Amino acid sequence: MVREKITVSTRTLQWKCVESRVDSRRLYYGRFILSPLMKGQADTIGIAMRRALLGEIEGTCITRAKFSKIPHEYSTIAGIQESVHEILMNLKEIVLRSNLYGTCEASICVRGPGYVTAQDIILPPYVEIVDNTQHIASLTEPIELVIGLEIERNRGYLIKTQNNFQDGSYPIDAVFMPVRNANHSIHVYGNENGKQEILFLEIWTNGSLTPKEALHEASRNLIDLFIPFLYTEEENLHLKDNQHMVPLPPFTFYDKLAKLTKNKKKIALKSIFIDQLDLPPRIYNCLKRSNIYTLLDLLNNSQEDLMKMEHFQIEDVKQILGILEKNFVIDLPKKKF
């Protein structure tokens, strides 16, 4: 468990992780603060963040399983301790992590006797299992268990419908939400003449992403939802798909933010996230593991820095340089000065 001292700035709005722990492979916890906020702002942000954390972040789940020669969901299979229904419930609990778009297929092909766990699932390379020890079935006889699986990346939850049962194919209720729970609380300090607030956010995830990654993803999704309001109606009519994501126009909400116009370019770069750059999944994962989330984060690194990252190759650096040159006419220095 990591704890940090809470520090409050009276000038700049800041956030910090004050507690972080891993309770198990499928349960991560993080506690964060944002301060200093004016009266009422903490509740506004806290409610919005909680809804975004629980409803706007995508996750990956098994959504369908296909057995051969099984008449119905509550059938039993000779030589298998669990019923088909129990196997489906175990598959529902499998926690996956991926950069998948849409759906893909996977499979299980195991011969008993023995235990079938998540590590027996044959997956495409862009899908990972968070906990390989998750139980699926117990084979008590030397029989072969073959299951075809469909995997999907989505948000929210998916409820199966009874009319989807065909040819031994059974849909599975899917809870795509990687955030298990999120709470917020508010600490008020100061006197009657000038009260300020500190927002505390608590986040529990299923291990497919960390609480810090969940906080970042939820924030990005909220930004994407509100950016269109920064344009006039006429400007919105001419925006292409996702064009509103880059760059942000100058802030005009408060006089004190007028000083930020000098840093307009920096603000724009912070509003461009690396998942908007059409990077291959492996390069995207390498960057995220190195805490590179935005274009500004990427530009703070040199080519030499990228080569020091685990599993990064010279071809990956060349591909990133090509994307930066094509879309932004920007280059990365070979070394930091």
Side-chain angles (χ1 to χ4, degrees), residues 93-330:
E93 297 299 319
I94 302 293
V95 179
L96 301 172
R97 174 172 48 233
S98 79
N99 286 318
L100 174 68
Y101 291 93
T103 62
C104 70
E105 294 183 351
S107 63
I108 298 174
C109 185
V110 180
R111 184 169 184 82
Y115 295 104
V116 182
T117 62
Q119 69 178 353
D120 296 309
I121 301 176
I122 304 170
L123 293 165
Y126 43 84
V127 180
E128 302 175 34
I129 297 174
V130 172
D131 184 1
N132 286 326
T133 65
Q134 285 185 264
H135 180 74
I136 297 175
S138 303
L139 306 185
T140 57
E141 297 180 12
I143 64 167
E144 195 172 68
L145 176 65
V146 178
I147 308 174
L149 303 174
E150 185 177 278
I151 295 173
E152 181 179 345
R153 181 178 173 87
N154 211 322
R155 65 180 62 183
Y157 54 88
L158 176 68
I159 302 297
K160 67 183 179 181
T161 55
Q162 295 296 326
N163 58 2
N164 283 341
F165 298 98
Q166 296 176 359
D167 303 325
S169 178
Y170 300 93
I172 300 174
D173 291 344
V175 181
F176 294 105
M177 298 176 288
V179 176
R180 288 189 171 185
N181 195 13
N183 291 326
H184 82 277
S185 58
I186 301 167
H187 172 69
V188 181
Y189 65 97
N191 53 38
E192 292 297 330
N193 296 327
K195 286 190 176 181
Q196 292 183 312
E197 298 177 341
I198 302 176
L199 172 65
F200 288 84
L201 280 170
E202 291 184 291
I203 302 171
W204 292 261
T205 70
N206 65 0
S208 62
L209 77 174
T210 66
K212 187 177 290 186
E213 289 172 333
L215 184 64
H216 181 272
E217 186 76 10
S219 301
R220 188 205 69 175
N221 290 337
L222 283 176
I223 291 171
D224 287 347
L225 290 173
F226 287 114
I227 282 179
F229 291 111
L230 298 179
Y231 294 89
T232 65
E233 292 178 77
E234 292 76 15
E235 289 172 332
N236 272 294
L237 291 175
H238 295 91
L239 288 176
K240 298 179 181 179
D241 292 342
N242 295 328
Q243 187 177 334
H244 65 272
M245 295 182 183
V246 293
L248 279 172
F251 292 97
T252 57
F253 306 118
Y254 305 103
D255 292 337
K256 67 179 182 179
L257 292 176
K259 297 178 182 179
L260 295 179
T261 54
K262 294 181 181 179
N263 297 324
K264 178 182 175 183
K265 183 177 180 181
K266 184 175 181 180
I267 295 170
L269 295 177
K270 288 179 68 175
S271 70
I272 304 173
F273 295 87
I274 61 172
D275 54 359
Q276 297 171 246
L277 303 181
D278 294 326
L279 296 168
R282 190 176 61 79
I283 297 179
Y284 175 79
N285 285 330
C286 287
L287 294 176
K288 284 193 69 174
R289 281 195 293 267
S290 299
N291 297 318
I292 296 176
Y293 300 105
T294 67
L295 181 56
L296 183 61
D297 295 336
L298 180 58
L299 295 179
N300 284 333
N301 290 271
S302 65
Q303 298 179 35
E304 186 181 48
D305 294 330
L306 295 182
M307 287 300 299
K308 293 179 181 178
M309 295 180 187
E310 189 177 4
H311 305 307
F312 227 75
Q313 303 170 4
I314 185 65
E315 290 79 11
D316 301 331
V317 176
K318 290 179 179 178
Q319 192 164 355
I320 289 176
L321 293 176
I323 292 174
L324 294 178
E325 174 65 26
K326 178 181 177 181
N327 296 294
F328 307 102
V329 196
I330 297 174

